[in-house]
Amino acid sequence: MTDIWEPHAPAAPSATGGLRPLYAEGLDLRVSGAGTARAVADGVVEVTVEATPVADGDVRIEWRVPCVDATALWTPEPRGTGWLPAAWSAPRRTGIAAGAPIAALVGTGDVAICAFAAERPDVLAGAGVVEETGEFRFWAQAPGRLTVRIDTSRRHFARCLAGLAEWWGTAHRADVPEAARRPAYSTWYAMHQDVSQKAVEAQAALGKELGLDVIIVDDGWMTADRTRGYGHCGDWEPVSLPDTAAHVRRVHELGVQYMLWYALPFIGKNSAAFERIGRYALADAGPMGAVVADPRYPEVREFLVGRLARAVEEWGMDGLKVDFVDWFARADAPEPGPGADCASVDEGVERLLAELRRRITAAHPDAMIEHRQPYVSPALWPYVTMIRATDCPLSPQENRQRTIDVRLAAGPVPVHADMLTWHPVEPPEQIACHLINVLFAVPQVSVDLAALRPEQREALAFWLGVFRAHADTLQLGELRPARPDLGYPMVTATGPDTVAVARYAALPVDAGGDRWRTLLVANADADPDVRLTGGSGTAEAVVQDARGRVVRQGEVELGRDGAVVAVPRGGLLTLRRA
């Protein structure tokens, strides 16, 4: 696949040279090769182009829309949303191990001026403002054959993205066990590499009391080294968790499910595995102290799958946290040598993950697998049960934006927050705000639960209870985030009879419509005055503070002029009507 990118150059004629116009209502559309365009819904066009015998193997689809009232370009990559790039900006290369071929140009009122997705995962895609014309240009290219869906229906951008993800779902099915949607405890920020059986079992017991049904043991279990490197990855022997099966049984007796971390691609230079398969290196991971294994070789895939599957098959684990998959996509792959059976790294990665999923679900049908942003491709849905936002410790706004971005492209797969952590003297109001910022994801918590002060514990228990009680609405309801250009200062999820709103700025809350019997308003802003607009009649109101204590209750009159209800920072307003 050939990159087409000229930094700081204009939208050069060469970028459209060799492309021919293709009719599609409302679009300035051009394609290479033999192309077709058909309407699949109002404002939604599906375009397919195939290489011709004289082409160089790549096909390209390019289209432009007027850049009028535009506010942001949305993508699912970390820090990918909130600005309008220039047409000469570097394109995004997506593949099975990194990114997802989807984007949306968002306009005033949160409408999608234009959203698109590609059917295949391995796409080079560009998007940006054409300085000479004031248009916004999109293009996508891939080898051989390419199909994209382009949505100019001007619906809410989240609804357009949901429709594109649903289209993906016809080709990529995901099986999600119930436990993948339950709040979890992670050892990473709380312990880093200093894990032990005693510490894990203690946190699992405390977490279960608070509503954390899963524990994820991160780095450190496979080595006595505590220098934070990856030189000991690859052997995956439970150095810090001896008699592992008995230890896992004790955690299970607490009613907690157990997942174990693996840095899948890394073969540490200090490991015995390096002597065995280190010669099959896709790339050197440099300061990581490891090489990236080349999944194009069956010997490599067999070794990695065998090492990881032991956790479920022999030790009784309930799943795996599979980390660093995106490193497979970071290197320019050398030509494969004798013994390789895959033409591309992507093909090798897919075979590796498919075999891993097959092995562990054969031993445990509800086994879980966690992946992490940025490897969010829909082609991975059959091999994953949860996707976590990439690391952003102690950054509530970043965690909010990343979880919402991933959710908009994750289809049926649960999205987990990056692990929540905080300073030991953090007030309960701020702990509540950490949780409210990831209200529409599955929370993971990573602090020493034994060191929590009573008021911190109350805040954590209260909000975990909200997550659990309203999981169907928060995780499966129709998601409507507002203002991606401002980092989503308000997010709404609508279920069959419950609407949940999280307020991160002093914005009014729409209490209108007839879809709710229960309206939840979580306030993460310092301004306590929550103004309710729309609606009519009365509703019973209960206001709780960050610790779940009721601070006021009574009837609220809903009306055109709006009612104002004082909700403390970190608190929750619950409205109920007949």
Side-chain angles (χ1 to χ4, degrees):
M1 190 185 297
T2 304
D3 290 8
I4 298 179
W5 175 41
E6 298 178 19
H8 302 286
S14 61
T16 56
L19 302 184
R20 64 181 182 84
L22 183 65
Y23 176 75
E25 188 173 354
L27 287 176
D28 178 6
L29 177 66
R30 296 174 181 273
V31 299
S32 66
T36 61
R38 66 184 185 94
V40 294
D42 288 344
V44 183
V45 175
E46 187 170 296
V47 182
T48 298
V49 61
E50 298 188 46
T52 61
V54 297
D56 63 0
D58 279 7
V59 293
R60 181 178 173 107
I61 301 171
E62 182 176 311
W63 65 101
R64 300 185 184 202
V65 295
C67 193
V68 176
D69 265 354
T71 59
L73 177 69
W74 177 91
T75 69
E77 278 80 15
R79 298 189 179 275
T81 298
W83 68 303
L84 296 178
W88 44 257
S89 299
R92 295 189 300 134
R93 183 181 294 281
T94 65
I96 196 169
I102 187 170
L105 177 63
V106 183
T108 302
D110 294 332
V111 301
I113 297 171
C114 182
F116 90 96
E119 186 177 37
R120 58 187 293 169
D122 54 330
V123 170
L124 186 70
V129 174
V130 180
E131 299 169 7
E132 292 84 353
T133 65
E135 296 171 300
F136 200 88
R137 184 182 76 187
F138 293 90
W139 58 267
Q141 72 180 56
R145 185 179 190 275
L146 176 63
T147 297
V148 300
R149 278 203 176 184
I150 304 170
D151 188 330
T152 56
S153 63
R154 299 192 71 87
R155 295 173 294 166
H156 191 282
F157 80 98
R159 180 166 289 180
C160 293
L161 294 172
L164 294 171
E166 186 178 357
W167 173 55
W168 279 340
T170 61
H172 306 291
R173 189 172 61 88
D175 293 319
V176 179
E178 181 186 351
R181 296 193 181 276
R182 295 179 184 167
Y185 181 87
S186 169
T187 63
W188 179 239
Y189 294 139
M191 303 180 194
H192 287 103
Q193 290 185 311
D194 293 322
V195 298
S196 68
Q197 290 185 355
K198 182 178 179 180
V200 169
E201 291 168 25
Q203 296 299 323
L206 292 167
K208 182 63 178 178
E209 294 175 3
L210 291 166
L212 300 170
D213 294 323
V214 179
I215 191 164
I216 304 172
V217 173
D218 212 289
D219 192 0
W221 64 270
M222 74 300 177
T223 177
D225 185 272
R226 297 295 182 252
T227 59
R228 297 275 290 270
Y230 296 91
H232 297 276
C233 293
D235 296 335
W236 303 117
E237 296 294 342
V239 174
S240 297
L241 302 175
D243 197 6
T244 313
H247 161 61
V248 173
R249 282 195 298 272
R250 291 192 293 271
V251 171
H252 283 164
E253 288 167 1
L254 299 169
V256 176
Q257 297 201 35
Y258 201 133
M259 297 178 68
L260 197 60
W261 171 89
Y262 288 86
L264 176 64
F266 294 157
I267 303 298
K269 295 178 181 179
N270 298 324
S271 69
F274 186 77
E275 299 299 321
R276 177 172 172 179
I277 63 169
R279 65 187 181 278
Y280 298 116
L282 188 63
D284 193 305
M288 312 291 272
V291 297
V292 178
D294 192 335
R296 294 176 294 182
Y297 294 87
E299 183 177 343
V300 170
R301 298 195 303 272
E302 181 181 4
F303 176 82
L304 293 177
V305 169
R307 292 282 91 188
L308 271 66
R310 292 173 67 204
V312 177
E313 294 172 341
E314 299 178 22
W315 304 333
M317 300 283 183
D318 301 288
L320 312 175
K321 174 177 179 173
V322 180
D323 214 347
F324 296 112
V325 171
D326 52 312
W327 276 75
F328 286 123
R330 291 192 179 195
D332 291 327
E335 287 296 319
D341 63 352
C342 297
S344 69
V345 174
D346 270 9
E347 182 185 354
V349 171
E350 185 161 18
R351 289 192 186 188
L352 171 63
L353 297 175
E355 178 60 16
L356 178 61
R357 179 70 189 262
R358 187 196 67 77
R359 279 279 296 269
I360 68 171
T361 53
H364 186 337
D366 288 329
M368 295 176 283
I369 295 180
E370 180 191 283
H371 287 178
R372 175 173 56 83
Q373 192 184 28
Y375 40 104
V376 295
S377 170
L380 295 179
W381 290 358
Y383 319 123
V384 63
T385 63
M386 60 191 76
I387 302 170
R388 180 175 64 82
T390 196
D391 300 21
C392 51
L394 264 171
S395 301
Q397 190 279 337
E398 192 72 17
N399 219 348
R400 173 173 85 240
Q401 182 156 346
R402 292 181 183 188
T403 52
I404 296 299
D405 283 346
V406 176
R407 264 206 64 179
L408 290 170
V413 182
V415 173
H416 282 229
D418 185 41
M419 296 78 72
L420 303 182
T421 187
W422 51 80
H423 191 278
V425 302
E426 195 80 275
E429 292 79 12
Q430 182 62 12
I431 292 172
C433 288
H434 278 290
L435 288 150
I436 295 171
N437 271 277
V438 298
L439 190 61
F440 304 95
V442 181
Q444 292 188 17
V445 176
S446 189
V447 295
D448 182 359
L449 300 176
L452 293 177
R453 301 195 309 274
E455 62 271 23
Q456 294 175 320
R457 183 181 177 86
E458 289 171 7
L460 180 56
F462 169 60
W463 278 103
L464 288 176
V466 173
F467 279 95
R468 293 163 65 89
H470 299 284
D472 285 349
T473 297
L474 297 172
Q475 295 184 39
L476 300 173
E478 182 181 3
L479 192 67
R480 287 292 186 93
R483 300 298 301 272
D485 54 314
L486 298 179
Y488 308 126
M490 182 176 289
V491 181
T492 302
T494 302
D497 61 4
T498 300
V499 173
V501 180
R503 174 182 182 266
Y504 309 105
L507 298 173
V509 175
D510 183 4
D514 57 2
R515 291 191 63 178
W516 64 270
R517 294 181 61 186
T518 301
L519 174 63
L520 307 172
V521 182
N523 182 36
D525 190 68
D527 178 5
D529 292 336
V530 175
R531 183 168 175 262
L532 304 170
T533 62
S536 60
T538 60
E540 290 294 324
V542 176
V543 178
Q544 294 165 279
D545 68 8
R547 296 158 64 179
R549 300 174 300 182
V550 176
V551 294
R552 61 183 59 86
Q553 56 187 8
E555 283 193 347
V556 171
E557 186 73 29
L558 302 175
R560 239 178 255 175
D561 295 334
V564 176
V565 180
V567 182
R569 177 170 171 263
L572 177 69
L573 167 64
T574 303
L575 294 174
R576 291 188 174 89
R577 64 186 182 190

Short mmCIF file of all heavy atoms in Angstrom, two decimals, residues 204-242:
data_model
loop_
_atom_site.label_atom_id
_atom_site.label_comp_id
_atom_site.label_asym_id
_atom_site.label_seq_id
_atom_site.Cartn_x
_atom_site.Cartn_y
_atom_site.Cartn_z
N ALA A 204 -8.84 -8.62 46.48
CA ALA A 204 -10.02 -9.28 45.91
C ALA A 204 -11.14 -9.34 46.93
O ALA A 204 -12.32 -9.10 46.60
CB ALA A 204 -9.66 -10.67 45.42
N ALA A 205 -10.81 -9.65 48.18
CA ALA A 205 -11.84 -9.73 49.22
C ALA A 205 -12.44 -8.36 49.50
O ALA A 205 -13.67 -8.21 49.60
CB ALA A 205 -11.24 -10.32 50.49
N LEU A 206 -11.60 -7.35 49.62
CA LEU A 206 -12.10 -5.99 49.87
C LEU A 206 -12.91 -5.47 48.69
O LEU A 206 -13.94 -4.81 48.86
CB LEU A 206 -10.93 -5.06 50.16
CG LEU A 206 -10.18 -5.30 51.47
CD1 LEU A 206 -8.87 -4.52 51.49
CD2 LEU A 206 -11.05 -4.94 52.67
N GLY A 207 -12.44 -5.77 47.48
CA GLY A 207 -13.13 -5.31 46.29
C GLY A 207 -14.51 -5.95 46.15
O GLY A 207 -15.47 -5.28 45.75
N LYS A 208 -14.63 -7.20 46.48
CA LYS A 208 -15.91 -7.88 46.39
C LYS A 208 -16.95 -7.21 47.29
O LYS A 208 -18.11 -7.03 46.90
CB LYS A 208 -15.77 -9.36 46.76
CG LYS A 208 -17.05 -10.16 46.65
CD LYS A 208 -17.57 -10.21 45.22
CE LYS A 208 -18.82 -11.06 45.11
NZ LYS A 208 -19.36 -11.09 43.73
N GLU A 209 -16.54 -6.78 48.47
CA GLU A 209 -17.45 -6.09 49.38
C GLU A 209 -17.96 -4.78 48.77
O GLU A 209 -19.09 -4.36 49.06
CB GLU A 209 -16.73 -5.78 50.70
CG GLU A 209 -16.36 -7.01 51.51
CD GLU A 209 -15.54 -6.64 52.74
OE1 GLU A 209 -15.33 -5.43 52.97
OE2 GLU A 209 -15.11 -7.56 53.45
N LEU A 210 -17.15 -4.15 47.94
CA LEU A 210 -17.52 -2.87 47.34
C LEU A 210 -18.28 -3.01 46.03
O LEU A 210 -18.84 -2.03 45.53
CB LEU A 210 -16.25 -2.04 47.09
CG LEU A 210 -15.52 -1.54 48.34
CD1 LEU A 210 -14.13 -1.05 47.97
CD2 LEU A 210 -16.32 -0.44 49.00
N GLY A 211 -18.26 -4.22 45.44
CA GLY A 211 -18.94 -4.42 44.17
C GLY A 211 -18.01 -4.64 42.99
O GLY A 211 -18.42 -4.47 41.85
N LEU A 212 -16.76 -5.04 43.25
CA LEU A 212 -15.80 -5.35 42.19
C LEU A 212 -15.75 -6.86 42.03
O LEU A 212 -15.23 -7.58 42.88
CB LEU A 212 -14.42 -4.78 42.54
CG LEU A 212 -14.38 -3.26 42.73
CD1 LEU A 212 -13.03 -2.82 43.31
CD2 LEU A 212 -14.63 -2.54 41.40
N ASP A 213 -16.30 -7.35 40.93
CA ASP A 213 -16.50 -8.79 40.76
C ASP A 213 -15.37 -9.50 40.02
O ASP A 213 -15.38 -10.72 39.89
CB ASP A 213 -17.80 -9.03 39.98
CG ASP A 213 -19.02 -8.61 40.79
OD1 ASP A 213 -19.02 -8.80 42.01
OD2 ASP A 213 -19.97 -8.07 40.18
N VAL A 214 -14.43 -8.74 39.50
CA VAL A 214 -13.32 -9.31 38.73
C VAL A 214 -12.03 -8.68 39.23
O VAL A 214 -12.00 -7.49 39.57
CB VAL A 214 -13.48 -9.01 37.22
CG1 VAL A 214 -12.32 -9.57 36.41
CG2 VAL A 214 -14.81 -9.55 36.70
N ILE A 215 -10.96 -9.47 39.31
CA ILE A 215 -9.64 -8.91 39.61
C ILE A 215 -8.72 -9.22 38.44
O ILE A 215 -8.73 -10.32 37.88
CB ILE A 215 -9.06 -9.45 40.94
CG1 ILE A 215 -7.83 -8.64 41.33
CG2 ILE A 215 -8.77 -10.93 40.87
CD1 ILE A 215 -7.40 -8.82 42.77
N ILE A 216 -7.95 -8.21 38.04
CA ILE A 216 -7.01 -8.34 36.93
C ILE A 216 -5.61 -8.14 37.49
O ILE A 216 -5.27 -7.05 37.95
CB ILE A 216 -7.29 -7.30 35.83
CG1 ILE A 216 -8.73 -7.44 35.33
CG2 ILE A 216 -6.31 -7.47 34.67
CD1 ILE A 216 -9.16 -6.32 34.39
N VAL A 217 -4.82 -9.19 37.50
CA VAL A 217 -3.45 -9.11 37.99
C VAL A 217 -2.54 -8.75 36.82
O VAL A 217 -2.48 -9.46 35.82
CB VAL A 217 -3.01 -10.42 38.66
CG1 VAL A 217 -1.53 -10.38 39.01
CG2 VAL A 217 -3.84 -10.65 39.92
N ASP A 218 -1.84 -7.65 36.98
CA ASP A 218 -1.03 -7.08 35.90
C ASP A 218 0.43 -7.52 36.03
O ASP A 218 0.75 -8.50 36.71
CB ASP A 218 -1.17 -5.55 35.92
CG ASP A 218 -1.08 -4.93 34.54
OD1 ASP A 218 0.03 -4.92 33.97
OD2 ASP A 218 -2.10 -4.45 34.03
N ASP A 219 1.31 -6.79 35.40
CA ASP A 219 2.74 -7.07 35.33
C ASP A 219 3.33 -7.35 36.71
O ASP A 219 2.90 -6.78 37.71
CB ASP A 219 3.42 -5.86 34.70
CG ASP A 219 4.85 -6.12 34.30
OD1 ASP A 219 5.35 -7.24 34.51
OD2 ASP A 219 5.49 -5.19 33.77
N GLY A 220 4.34 -8.21 36.73
CA GLY A 220 5.07 -8.52 37.96
C GLY A 220 4.89 -9.94 38.45
O GLY A 220 5.72 -10.45 39.19
N TRP A 221 3.83 -10.61 37.99
CA TRP A 221 3.56 -11.96 38.49
C TRP A 221 4.54 -12.98 37.94
O TRP A 221 4.73 -14.05 38.53
CB TRP A 221 2.13 -12.38 38.12
CG TRP A 221 1.86 -12.49 36.64
CD1 TRP A 221 1.42 -11.51 35.81
CD2 TRP A 221 2.02 -13.66 35.82
NE1 TRP A 221 1.29 -11.98 34.52
CE2 TRP A 221 1.65 -13.30 34.50
CE3 TRP A 221 2.43 -14.97 36.07
CZ2 TRP A 221 1.68 -14.19 33.44
CZ3 TRP A 221 2.47 -15.88 35.01
CH2 TRP A 221 2.10 -15.49 33.72
N MET A 222 5.21 -12.65 36.83
CA MET A 222 6.05 -13.63 36.13
C MET A 222 7.54 -13.39 36.35
O MET A 222 8.37 -14.04 35.72
CB MET A 222 5.73 -13.61 34.63
CG MET A 222 6.26 -12.41 33.87
SD MET A 222 5.64 -10.82 34.44
CE MET A 222 6.56 -9.72 33.38
N THR A 223 7.89 -12.46 37.26
CA THR A 223 9.31 -12.14 37.46
C THR A 223 9.53 -11.59 38.85
O THR A 223 8.63 -10.99 39.45
CB THR A 223 9.78 -11.11 36.42
OG1 THR A 223 11.14 -10.76 36.68
CG2 THR A 223 8.95 -9.84 36.47
N ALA A 224 10.74 -11.78 39.36
CA ALA A 224 11.13 -11.15 40.63
C ALA A 224 11.78 -9.80 40.39
O ALA A 224 12.06 -9.06 41.34
CB ALA A 224 12.10 -12.07 41.38
N ASP A 225 12.02 -9.47 39.12
CA ASP A 225 12.59 -8.18 38.76
C ASP A 225 11.54 -7.08 38.92
O ASP A 225 10.39 -7.26 38.54
CB ASP A 225 13.09 -8.23 37.32
CG ASP A 225 13.82 -6.95 36.92
OD1 ASP A 225 13.14 -6.03 36.46
OD2 ASP A 225 15.05 -6.89 37.09
N ARG A 226 11.93 -5.94 39.48
CA ARG A 226 10.96 -4.87 39.74
C ARG A 226 11.38 -3.56 39.07
O ARG A 226 11.02 -2.49 39.53
CB ARG A 226 10.82 -4.66 41.26
CG ARG A 226 10.27 -5.88 42.02
CD ARG A 226 8.84 -6.17 41.60
NE ARG A 226 8.23 -7.28 42.30
CZ ARG A 226 7.98 -8.46 41.78
NH1 ARG A 226 8.33 -8.71 40.51
NH2 ARG A 226 7.38 -9.41 42.47
N THR A 227 12.11 -3.65 37.97
CA THR A 227 12.63 -2.44 37.31
C THR A 227 11.74 -1.96 36.17
O THR A 227 12.13 -1.09 35.41
CB THR A 227 14.05 -2.69 36.79
OG1 THR A 227 14.04 -3.79 35.87
CG2 THR A 227 15.00 -3.01 37.94
N ARG A 228 10.57 -2.55 36.01
CA ARG A 228 9.57 -2.11 35.05
C ARG A 228 9.96 -2.36 33.59
O ARG A 228 9.39 -1.77 32.69
CB ARG A 228 9.24 -0.61 35.23
CG ARG A 228 8.63 -0.24 36.57
CD ARG A 228 7.14 -0.43 36.59
NE ARG A 228 6.44 0.54 35.75
CZ ARG A 228 6.01 1.72 36.16
NH1 ARG A 228 6.20 2.10 37.41
NH2 ARG A 228 5.36 2.52 35.34
N GLY A 229 10.91 -3.24 33.33
CA GLY A 229 11.25 -3.57 31.95
C GLY A 229 10.48 -4.79 31.49
O GLY A 229 9.67 -5.37 32.23
N TYR A 230 10.73 -5.22 30.25
CA TYR A 230 10.04 -6.36 29.68
C TYR A 230 11.02 -7.46 29.26
O TYR A 230 10.67 -8.31 28.45
CB TYR A 230 9.18 -5.90 28.50
CG TYR A 230 8.09 -4.95 28.95
CD1 TYR A 230 8.32 -3.58 28.97
CD2 TYR A 230 6.87 -5.42 29.39
CE1 TYR A 230 7.35 -2.69 29.41
CE2 TYR A 230 5.89 -4.55 29.84
CZ TYR A 230 6.14 -3.18 29.85
OH TYR A 230 5.18 -2.31 30.29
N GLY A 231 12.22 -7.41 29.83
CA GLY A 231 13.24 -8.38 29.47
C GLY A 231 12.94 -9.79 29.92
O GLY A 231 13.56 -10.74 29.45
N HIS A 232 11.97 -9.95 30.85
CA HIS A 232 11.65 -11.29 31.36
C HIS A 232 10.34 -11.83 30.79
O HIS A 232 9.87 -12.88 31.23
CB HIS A 232 11.57 -11.25 32.89
CG HIS A 232 12.87 -10.89 33.54
ND1 HIS A 232 13.86 -11.82 33.80
CD2 HIS A 232 13.36 -9.70 33.96
CE1 HIS A 232 14.90 -11.21 34.36
NE2 HIS A 232 14.63 -9.93 34.47
N CYS A 233 9.75 -11.11 29.83
CA CYS A 233 8.52 -11.61 29.20
C CYS A 233 8.84 -12.79 28.29
O CYS A 233 9.94 -12.88 27.73
CB CYS A 233 7.85 -10.49 28.39
SG CYS A 233 7.20 -9.14 29.38
N GLY A 234 7.89 -13.65 28.09
CA GLY A 234 8.03 -14.75 27.15
C GLY A 234 7.95 -16.12 27.79
O GLY A 234 7.32 -17.03 27.25
N ASP A 235 8.59 -16.27 28.97
CA ASP A 235 8.52 -17.57 29.65
C ASP A 235 7.18 -17.73 30.35
O ASP A 235 6.61 -18.83 30.40
CB ASP A 235 9.65 -17.71 30.66
CG ASP A 235 11.02 -17.72 30.01
OD1 ASP A 235 11.10 -18.08 28.81
OD2 ASP A 235 11.99 -17.34 30.68
N TRP A 236 6.71 -16.64 30.96
CA TRP A 236 5.40 -16.60 31.61
C TRP A 236 5.24 -17.70 32.67
O TRP A 236 4.26 -18.43 32.67
CB TRP A 236 4.28 -16.65 30.58
CG TRP A 236 4.37 -15.54 29.58
CD1 TRP A 236 4.56 -15.65 28.24
CD2 TRP A 236 4.29 -14.12 29.84
NE1 TRP A 236 4.60 -14.40 27.64
CE2 TRP A 236 4.44 -13.44 28.61
CE3 TRP A 236 4.12 -13.37 31.01
CZ2 TRP A 236 4.43 -12.05 28.49
CZ3 TRP A 236 4.10 -11.97 30.89
CH2 TRP A 236 4.25 -11.34 29.66
N GLU A 237 6.25 -17.78 33.53
CA GLU A 237 6.18 -18.66 34.70
C GLU A 237 5.74 -17.84 35.91
O GLU A 237 6.21 -16.72 36.11
CB GLU A 237 7.54 -19.31 34.96
CG GLU A 237 8.01 -20.23 33.86
CD GLU A 237 7.15 -21.48 33.72
OE1 GLU A 237 6.40 -21.80 34.66
OE2 GLU A 237 7.23 -22.13 32.66
N PRO A 238 4.86 -18.37 36.75
CA PRO A 238 4.28 -17.59 37.85
C PRO A 238 5.23 -17.43 39.03
O PRO A 238 4.97 -17.91 40.14
CB PRO A 238 3.04 -18.40 38.22
CG PRO A 238 3.40 -19.82 37.88
CD PRO A 238 4.28 -19.73 36.65
N VAL A 239 6.31 -16.70 38.82
CA VAL A 239 7.35 -16.54 39.84
C VAL A 239 6.78 -15.94 41.13
O VAL A 239 7.12 -16.38 42.23
CB VAL A 239 8.49 -15.65 39.28
CG1 VAL A 239 9.52 -15.36 40.37
CG2 VAL A 239 9.15 -16.33 38.08
N SER A 240 5.92 -14.93 41.01
CA SER A 240 5.37 -14.26 42.19
C SER A 240 4.05 -14.86 42.65
O SER A 240 3.48 -14.40 43.65
CB SER A 240 5.16 -12.77 41.89
OG SER A 240 6.39 -12.14 41.62
N LEU A 241 3.56 -15.86 41.95
CA LEU A 241 2.30 -16.51 42.32
C LEU A 241 2.49 -18.02 42.35
O LEU A 241 1.89 -18.76 41.56
CB LEU A 241 1.19 -16.15 41.33
CG LEU A 241 0.84 -14.67 41.15
CD1 LEU A 241 -0.18 -14.49 40.04
CD2 LEU A 241 0.33 -14.07 42.45
N PRO A 242 3.33 -18.53 43.25
CA PRO A 242 3.56 -19.97 43.30
C PRO A 242 2.27 -20.72 43.70
O PRO A 242 1.38 -20.14 44.32
CB PRO A 242 4.64 -20.11 44.38
CG PRO A 242 4.50 -18.89 45.23
CD PRO A 242 4.06 -17.80 44.30
#
